[in-house]
Amino acid sequence: KAGVTQTPRYLIKTRGQQVTLSCSPISGHRSVSWYQQTPGQGLQFLFEYFSETQRNKGNFPGRFSGRQFSNSRSEMNVSTLELGDSALYLCASSLSGSYGNEQFFGPGTRLTVL
Amino acid sequence: KNQVEQSPQSLIILEGKNCTLQCNYTVSPFSNLRWYKQDTGRGPVSLTIMTFSENTKSNGRYTATLDADTKQSSLHITASQLSDSASYICVVSAYDSNYQLIWGAGTKLIIKP
């Protein structure tokens, strides 16, 4: 079974631009969660989608948004990029939700904002 | 406030030695506790997941313990190998009106030959 894939793996943007990251979960998994990880920080939860609906949301500004498609693939969008958005963005998939279920993480997208 | 604290922040040991990583949490109501291993620049990989009623769980050379009364967990690594060099993250889940996962900052473990 193929694992979680994220594209692109690396991205360089400038302040003020917007970016879209993509995540394809493991086949059969219906839940996708997104996390931000900065150096020295724990993973910060962004949001979770299940069957195309946002089920849970972390404490991030509205510049961070996401969506999930009918095939469970998910995208995350960040508008008006700031220097502080530079981070590793991780996507995790699970069968029916991160609560009580094992999450499988992708390799991440390394975003650098200049 | 729900929090997960891990110690030590970093640890260096020689190959072949054992080590124990600590996780203390103030999370309520507690649902389950997970340990993840994260190699540099990669996504975390699940090692164990324990519910309230489980005291210990093993995954190869990794053994996690949970004391729900004192709200402490530990991850013991036996006969360390160079490939064990990674960050180890403790995650506690809580369920109230909604659920949340509270992530610790991790312990960075370095194994030296």
Side-chain angles (χ1 to χ4, degrees), chain A residues 37 48 56 98 101-102, chain B residues 31 34 38 46 98-99 101:
Chain A
Q37 187 176 34
E48 179 175 7
N56 210 352
S98 59
N101 293 288
E102 186 173 0
Chain B
S31 179
R34 315 164 189 209
Q38 184 177 23
S46 177
N98 201 351
Y99 70 88
L101 296 178

Side-chain angles (χ1 to χ4, degrees), chain A residues 9 31 35 37 40-43 45 48 55-57 88 90 97-108 110, chain B residues 9 31-32 34 36 38 40-47 49 89 91 93-95 98-101 103-106:
Chain A
R9 291 293 312 278
S31 169
Y35 296 87
Q37 187 176 34
Q41 298 289 318
L43 272 71
F45 172 69
E48 179 175 7
R55 195 153 75 169
N56 210 352
K57 190 177 188 302
L88 180 67
L90 293 162
S98 59
Y99 173 73
N101 293 288
E102 186 173 0
Q103 290 186 93
F104 297 85
F105 284 83
R110 172 77 59 188
Chain B
Q9 207 169 27
S31 179
N32 60 62
R34 315 164 189 209
Y36 284 87
Q38 184 177 23
T40 302
R42 309 289 293 271
V45 174
S46 177
L47 293 174
I49 177 170
I89 308 171
V91 188
S93 70
Y95 190 92
N98 201 351
Y99 70 88
Q100 56 175 324
L101 296 178
W103 291 73

Side-chain angles (χ1 to χ4, degrees), chain A residues 34-90:
Chain A
W34 288 91
Y35 296 87
Q36 180 195 68
Q37 187 176 34
T38 50
Q41 298 289 318
L43 272 71
Q44 303 294 315
F45 172 69
L46 282 154
F47 26 66
E48 179 175 7
Y49 285 87
F50 178 79
S51 292
E52 302 178 66
T53 301
Q54 188 180 88
R55 195 153 75 169
N56 210 352
K57 190 177 188 302
N59 296 320
F60 275 81
R63 300 186 297 107
F64 292 82
S65 63
R67 58 178 175 167
Q68 187 180 33
F69 302 95
S70 58
N71 61 358
S72 294
R73 189 177 70 84
S74 177
E75 286 183 347
M76 189 192 90
N77 185 273
V78 188
S79 62
T80 320
L81 283 166
E82 300 177 0
L83 294 178
D85 296 334
S86 293
L88 180 67
Y89 290 87
L90 293 162

